[in-house]
Each structure stands twice: as C-alpha cells, then as structure tokens.
C-alpha cells in the first residue's frame, strides 16, 4: 500500500504495519523509469542473432559454394610397380587459366598411399587428364582430393 491518509506521500506500509521511507528520487530515480523493458531486450537479441547467422551463412557460401575449378574421377586402372593410372574430367569457369588438381590413391585399409599434383593446362572449359600415381603399397582405388587455380612454382612451365 502506498501513501494513504495517515502516511506521507511516497511511503509504503510493510506487512508488520511499519512505514518504510520512500527512496530519494534525486539519488535513485523514480520507480519504474530508466529500466529498459524486457521486450526491447528480446528484440535486440533476435536482431543480433539474425545478423550473426546471416554473416556465418555468407561466409559458408563463399567458402563452400560452387568451386571455380573441380575434377571428377572418370576411371582408374592398376599399373605394374604399385602404381595406378587415373583419368579425370576437369571443369572450370575460366578456361584461359591453368589449374592444378591433387590426385591420390588408397590402399586396402583405406589409407592414402600415394599422391600427385597434376597440372591442367589452359584450354577448353572441360578437359580430360590422365596421370599415373605411384603408391607405397598395392593401391586399390583412386580419387581427386581437390583442384585450384593456385599453381605451385615447381609445376608451372617457364
């Protein structure tokens, strides 16, 4: 209960019947003012969460979206001396730039047993490339690890 006929303005009555003096407004402010509503804080949290989610989505799209150069293994054939011939189809968005693809072979346990970087010369947008990859054991399968336009200096032609 606040105020009343027997109490000065701003004082409240406790359950025991005693009066509690009002807080000085110039020191603590008036009751109910200056405190942001919980609804405003919720909307701020939702807005920040949406901005952060959008930024993360955009970064994933840039890094994991469609690659400018990619290769698909078309076939592989075992060769003598623990080697395997691998045939790739390389597709790229800019056929005027050379690229590099990393091809690897795996042994019976699934572990990588050989790897080779293959230079894909500038040319048609779709290229077929053959390479032979040496292995440290008997290879059973081959795959493409990835492709890039960033060609190491030792692979580029002078």
């Amino acid at each position: 209960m606040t105020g009343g006929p027997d109490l000065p303005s701003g004082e409240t009555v406790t359950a025991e019947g005693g009066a509690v003096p009002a807080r000085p407004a110039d020191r603590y402010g008036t009751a109910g003012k200056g405190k942001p509503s919980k609804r405003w804080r919720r909307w701020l949290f939702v807005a920040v969460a949406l901005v952060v989610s959008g930024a993360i989505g955009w970064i994933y799209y840039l890094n994991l979206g469609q690659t400018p150069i990619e290769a698909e293994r078309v076939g592989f054939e075992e060769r003598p001396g623990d080697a395997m011939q691998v045939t790739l189809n390389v597709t790229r968005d800019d056929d005027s730039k050379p690229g590099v693809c990393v091809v690897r072979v795996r042994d019976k346990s699934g572990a990588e047993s050989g790897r080779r970087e293959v230079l894909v010369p500038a040319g048609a947008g779709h290229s077929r490339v053959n390479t032979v990859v040496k292995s440290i054991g008997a290879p059973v399968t081959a795959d493409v690890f990835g492709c890039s336009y960033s060609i190491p200096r030792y692979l580029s032609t002078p």
Side-chain angles (χ1 to χ4, degrees):
M1 177 190 311
T2 303
D6 299 339
L7 294 173
S9 177
E11 289 189 1
T12 56
V13 177
T14 64
E16 293 81 31
V20 177
R23 299 183 313 177
D26 58 340
R27 182 171 183 179
Y28 298 107
T30 58
K33 290 188 180 179
K35 205 180 216 186
S37 69
K38 289 185 180 187
R39 180 177 289 166
W40 181 82
R41 281 187 269 170
R42 275 192 217 135
W43 281 110
L44 178 65
F45 177 74
V46 168
V48 168
L50 286 174
V51 168
V52 169
S53 299
I56 290 171
W58 180 252
I59 290 169
Y60 272 109
Y61 172 75
L62 291 178
N63 291 326
L64 302 175
Q66 180 146 357
T67 56
I69 180 171
E70 54 188 16
E72 176 185 12
R73 181 198 69 200
V74 179
F76 58 93
E77 184 179 333
E78 196 171 340
R79 294 286 184 209
D82 289 336
M84 187 169 282
Q85 179 176 341
V86 184
T87 304
L88 312 170
N89 273 345
V90 180
T91 307
R92 53 191 155 182
D93 62 351
D94 186 358
D95 57 352
S96 66
K97 295 194 296 189
V100 63
C101 291
V102 178
V103 182
R104 62 185 180 178
V105 294
R106 296 176 180 264
D107 62 12
K108 190 174 177 180
S109 70
E112 182 179 301
S113 59
R115 174 183 283 232
R116 180 168 189 174
E117 294 172 334
V118 180
L119 180 65
V120 182
H126 299 283
S127 304
R128 182 162 281 197
V129 178
N130 289 313
T131 189
V132 175
V133 181
K134 298 287 279 176
S135 176
I136 58 173
V140 295
T141 189
D143 61 350
V144 180
F145 185 74
C147 296
S148 173
Y149 284 124
S150 300
I151 301 171
R153 188 173 301 169
Y154 62 86
L155 275 182
S156 59
T157 55

